[in-house]
Amino acid sequence: LDAGRPRTMGLRDALLCFIGFREEVILRRARFDLAKARERAHLLVGYSIAVANIDEVIRIIRASPDAAAAREALMAVDWPAGDIAALLALIEDEGNVITAA
């Protein structure tokens, strides 16, 4: 199959199609891994902000009647990022993309 269409090929064409397919698979996997790493990085940055402001986080959780209200209250606060701002910029940097060479 070449681009979803069957065709007869010589060895060179078959190898070029296979190499193109493998490049596509590797690029998709790398993009997927990058997206997962960015998601994980966002969680870790959030945890570090929570740890830096642990007293306020505990106060909000204890003052909330249930978990849903605590979650909403925690997400409504504009937490100071401090030294984490550089990490957030790195995570969101659009220059960190995977392209075919």
Side-chain angles (χ1 to χ4, degrees):
L1 289 177
D2 181 24
R5 287 178 277 148
R7 74 176 184 131
T8 55
M9 297 183 235
L11 179 61
R12 182 177 187 281
D13 291 336
L15 284 174
L16 288 175
C17 286
F18 177 73
I19 291 170
F21 167 74
R22 290 302 301 162
E23 285 177 351
E24 180 183 336
V25 168
I26 291 169
L27 283 173
R28 282 190 310 198
R29 185 182 315 137
R31 286 183 187 120
F32 176 80
D33 289 343
L34 178 61
K36 295 298 275 186
R38 281 187 172 154
E39 289 174 16
R40 179 73 178 150
H42 273 288
L43 286 175
L44 294 175
V45 166
Y47 288 153
S48 65
I49 291 172
V51 167
N53 301 291
I54 192 70
D55 294 330
E56 181 67 14
V57 169
I58 291 172
R59 187 193 65 72
I60 291 172
I61 291 172
R62 286 186 177 164
S64 300
D66 59 4
R71 183 178 299 117
E72 288 180 21
L74 288 170
M75 292 177 73
V77 175
D78 188 23
W79 299 102
D83 296 334
I84 310 298
L87 293 175
L88 288 172
L90 180 63
I91 293 169
E92 296 298 326
D93 185 11
E94 292 300 322
N96 294 330
V97 295
I98 298 172
T99 59

